[in-house]
Amino acid sequence: METETPVAAAGGAPSEGRPPLSRERIVTAALALADREGLDALTMRRLAADLGVAPMAPYTHVRSKEELLSAMFDAVIGSMDLPEGDGGDWSEELRSLGRSFRRAMLAHPGAVPLCVNEPPMGPRALRAAEVTFSVLRRAGFADRDIVRAFFTVVTYAMGFLVVEVAQTRNCPPEEREEMERQRKLQFESLPLDEFPNVVALAPWLGHLPVEEQFEYGLDRLIAGLEADLSPGRVRRAR
Amino acid sequence: METETPVAAAGGAPSEGRPPLSRERIVTAALALADREGLDALTMRRLAADLGVAPMAPYTHVRSKEELLSAMFDAVIGSMDLPEGDGGDWSEELRSLGRSFRRAMLAHPGAVPLCVNEPPMGPRALRAAEVTFSVLRRAGFADRDIVRAFFTVVTYAMGFLVVEVAQTRNCPPEEREEMERQRKLQFESLPLDEFPNVVALAPWLGHLPVEEQFEYGLDRLIAGLEADLSPGRVRRAR
DNA sequence: ACCTGAACACCGTTCAAGT
DNA sequence: ACCTGAACACCGTTCAAGT
């Protein structure tokens, strides 16, 4: 988070001049730990150790581990870059919001798996939602479709991110190429009569350029929304 | 799984006439446990207890908990209903594959969070992938776009499901209506000057008909794919 | 109000034995 | 080959104390 207070960041002696615990300090430390070693390594006990404090101390500021996880997710989404101006093509603005969401989440890969727990509607995430709603409203969507379109884009982006970081986390970049080659070979060697398409597509299935794939899906989704809006098409009743 | 052997399903005495452990029996029991009490309750120790066996016994058939989770996910996707005929509108077939995926996953809600670990490309899931590829090929997509379109639809469906079951799990149907009313009120009471759209959309944000929302996104996505394919539009180079 | 320390009821997995 | 039992190094959270 950019709101992080950098005071005494390099934790020195355990109990000397240590700033008092606060919700924000706890969330920041939790994000740092999850980013460094993965969400599984984020343990209330390890978190307390990182903060130089007894295992139960964080519970004064956070009701439970689950509440902490929610706060972490909300904090990351709250750090999204949001467009300022009200001008420009709505579809380009929506695309840019999608990219912004991905960028913010990738800055804290440890928090990405939290996507699965709840839609991004926490206190700090609300600003991003508001901006997205206003973009869709100016595009001409009806109230109901604004909400539907919003959740559709969010669903796509979350699904993508969650799989993206899961893939990149459990396989360091050095082994990456080798793994892709392995997977390609595996698909190629399947029985041709049973899996003709999997075999034929093996080269593409082995190596998915992640950036391009994100853009492709986002493009198709927004094109689909555009088609729903365009005057040449009959709007569905209700 | 429909391949489940129903022999001695009602586990009686701990060590009398019990069928020998097998990978399949383990996966089936693990799915049953996860469906009943959630993925968090799926513990190697509890699983062993359910199977009437020592904590370490399952490890003879399964290398680690992670491997078991992969097998569970693959088994659920392998249970998808797949269209037989090669006829019909490709977009309708794709829609129906999306629905089939959701139906299969919802039949085992405990396995849904596993979506985040890997794309559905395991041994049993491959049949579903093959069918989807063939539908997209007949639609006229180039090899590369077949794969891109496939992963886009899968990403959307997985993202949707993961949030859907997370929402329905930690809130029983009785409390559901009350929670929705609460959320609506919460959105309505936000400062109007800061969140005009969130306030205006509160009724829709409170209550999202889940079935409809899934169909909406799937429709828009497929419409977007259609637009990429239609002759009236210039196909992108490369 | 904020933090501590011991304790409870759990985990996944290793390892050496058993049959 | 398949299963057991004890053990190791952990969990989240409750509870009674401390300051």
Side-chain angles (χ1 to χ4, degrees):
Chain A
M1 296 310 75
E2 65 275 61
T3 38
E4 175 183 358
T5 42
V7 54
S15 63
E16 164 207 318
R18 172 166 35 85
L21 235 40
S22 72
R23 203 165 204 275
E24 201 192 324
R25 239 167 66 74
I26 291 171
V27 170
T28 303
L31 280 172
L33 174 53
D35 289 342
R36 236 184 308 126
E37 305 187 33
L39 196 60
D40 287 345
L42 170 55
T43 266
M44 292 308 275
R45 294 168 113 110
R46 281 228 37 202
L47 176 61
D50 281 12
L51 288 161
V53 112
M56 284 307 294
Y59 281 96
T60 316
H61 302 87
V62 141
R63 211 177 309 277
S64 65
K65 187 180 185 182
E66 211 178 325
E67 191 188 292
L68 171 61
L69 296 177
S70 284
M72 290 165 64
F73 183 53
D74 191 48
V76 175
I77 298 186
S79 77
M80 257 178 78
D81 286 327
L82 297 179
E84 294 277 343
D86 265 10
D89 184 22
W90 71 269
S91 68
E92 197 45 59
E93 275 188 298
L94 190 54
R95 213 183 318 273
S96 133
L97 277 163
R99 291 194 193 109
S100 230
F101 180 74
R102 175 157 173 265
R103 212 175 313 122
M105 293 305 297
L106 286 183
H108 289 286
V112 166
L114 300 174
C115 283
V116 310
N117 293 324
E118 53 208 326
M121 284 274 130
R124 294 201 53 190
L126 273 179
R127 265 186 59 241
E130 173 66 27
V131 171
T132 311
F133 292 153
S134 93
V135 167
L136 290 166
R137 178 173 304 279
R138 274 183 285 118
F141 285 97
D143 275 20
R144 186 195 206 177
D145 287 340
I146 292 176
V147 175
R148 286 160 142 187
F150 170 78
F151 278 112
T152 300
V153 174
V154 164
T155 295
Y156 168 73
M158 281 182 160
F160 191 94
L161 276 159
V162 150
V163 173
E164 176 179 4
V165 323
Q167 295 290 95
T168 56
R169 267 208 103 83
N170 59 19
C171 151
E174 316 97 54
E175 304 172 26
R176 190 69 179 270
E177 206 170 335
E178 176 56 20
M179 263 233 13
E180 284 177 356
R181 225 168 42 77
Q182 286 287 342
R183 197 163 36 187
K184 190 186 146 196
L185 273 167
Q186 202 186 310
F187 288 137
E188 264 168 354
S189 61
L190 287 169
L192 230 173
D193 55 333
E194 230 179 324
F195 299 104
N197 285 291
V198 178
V199 173
L201 298 169
W204 299 114
L205 288 170
H207 173 67
L208 271 203
V210 71
E211 201 81 20
E212 251 181 63
Q213 177 65 34
F214 180 75
E215 294 287 327
Y216 177 87
L218 192 57
D219 275 359
R220 295 305 94 218
L221 203 48
I222 291 175
L225 294 174
E226 221 157 358
D228 199 29
L229 203 61
S230 75
R233 214 172 191 279
V234 182
R235 291 295 297 279
R236 300 194 309 304
R238 291 205 47 87
Chain B
M1 297 308 76
E2 66 276 61
T3 38
E4 176 184 357
T5 42
V7 55
S15 62
E16 163 206 318
R18 173 166 33 85
L21 235 40
S22 72
R23 203 165 204 276
E24 202 193 323
R25 241 166 63 75
I26 291 171
V27 170
T28 303
L31 280 173
L33 175 52
D35 289 342
R36 235 184 310 127
E37 306 187 34
L39 196 59
D40 287 344
L42 170 55
T43 267
M44 293 307 276
R45 295 168 112 111
R46 280 227 38 200
L47 176 59
D50 281 11
L51 288 161
V53 111
M56 283 308 292
Y59 281 95
T60 316
H61 302 87
V62 141
R63 213 178 307 279
S64 65
K65 187 179 183 181
E66 211 178 324
E67 192 189 290
L68 171 62
L69 297 177
S70 284
M72 290 165 64
F73 183 52
D74 191 48
V76 175
I77 299 186
S79 76
M80 258 178 77
D81 286 327
L82 297 178
E84 294 278 342
D86 265 9
D89 184 23
W90 72 269
S91 69
E92 196 45 58
E93 274 187 298
L94 191 55
R95 213 183 318 271
S96 132
L97 277 163
R99 292 194 193 110
S100 229
F101 180 75
R102 176 157 172 264
R103 214 175 313 121
M105 294 304 297
L106 286 183
H108 289 286
V112 166
L114 300 174
C115 284
V116 309
N117 293 324
E118 54 209 325
M121 285 275 130
R124 296 201 53 190
L126 273 180
R127 266 186 59 242
E130 173 66 27
V131 170
T132 311
F133 292 153
S134 94
V135 166
L136 290 167
R137 162 145 297 149
R138 275 184 285 118
F141 285 98
D143 275 21
R144 186 196 209 176
D145 287 339
I146 291 176
V147 175
R148 287 160 143 187
F150 171 78
F151 278 112
T152 301
V153 174
V154 165
T155 295
Y156 168 73
M158 282 182 159
F160 191 93
L161 276 158
V162 150
V163 173
E164 176 179 4
V165 324
Q167 295 290 95
T168 55
R169 267 207 102 82
N170 60 19
C171 151
E174 316 96 57
E175 303 173 26
R176 190 69 179 269
E177 206 170 335
E178 177 56 22
M179 262 231 16
E180 284 177 355
R181 225 168 43 77
Q182 285 287 342
R183 196 163 39 187
K184 190 187 145 195
L185 272 166
Q186 201 185 311
F187 288 137
E188 263 168 353
S189 61
L190 288 168
L192 230 173
D193 55 332
E194 229 180 323
F195 299 104
N197 285 291
V198 178
V199 172
L201 297 169
W204 299 112
L205 289 171
H207 172 68
L208 272 204
V210 71
E211 201 81 21
E212 251 181 62
Q213 177 65 34
F214 180 75
E215 293 288 326
Y216 177 86
L218 192 57
D219 275 358
R220 295 305 93 218
L221 204 46
I222 291 175
L225 295 174
E226 221 158 358
D228 200 29
L229 203 61
S230 73
R233 213 172 191 278
V234 183
R235 291 296 297 280
R236 300 194 309 304
R238 291 203 48 89

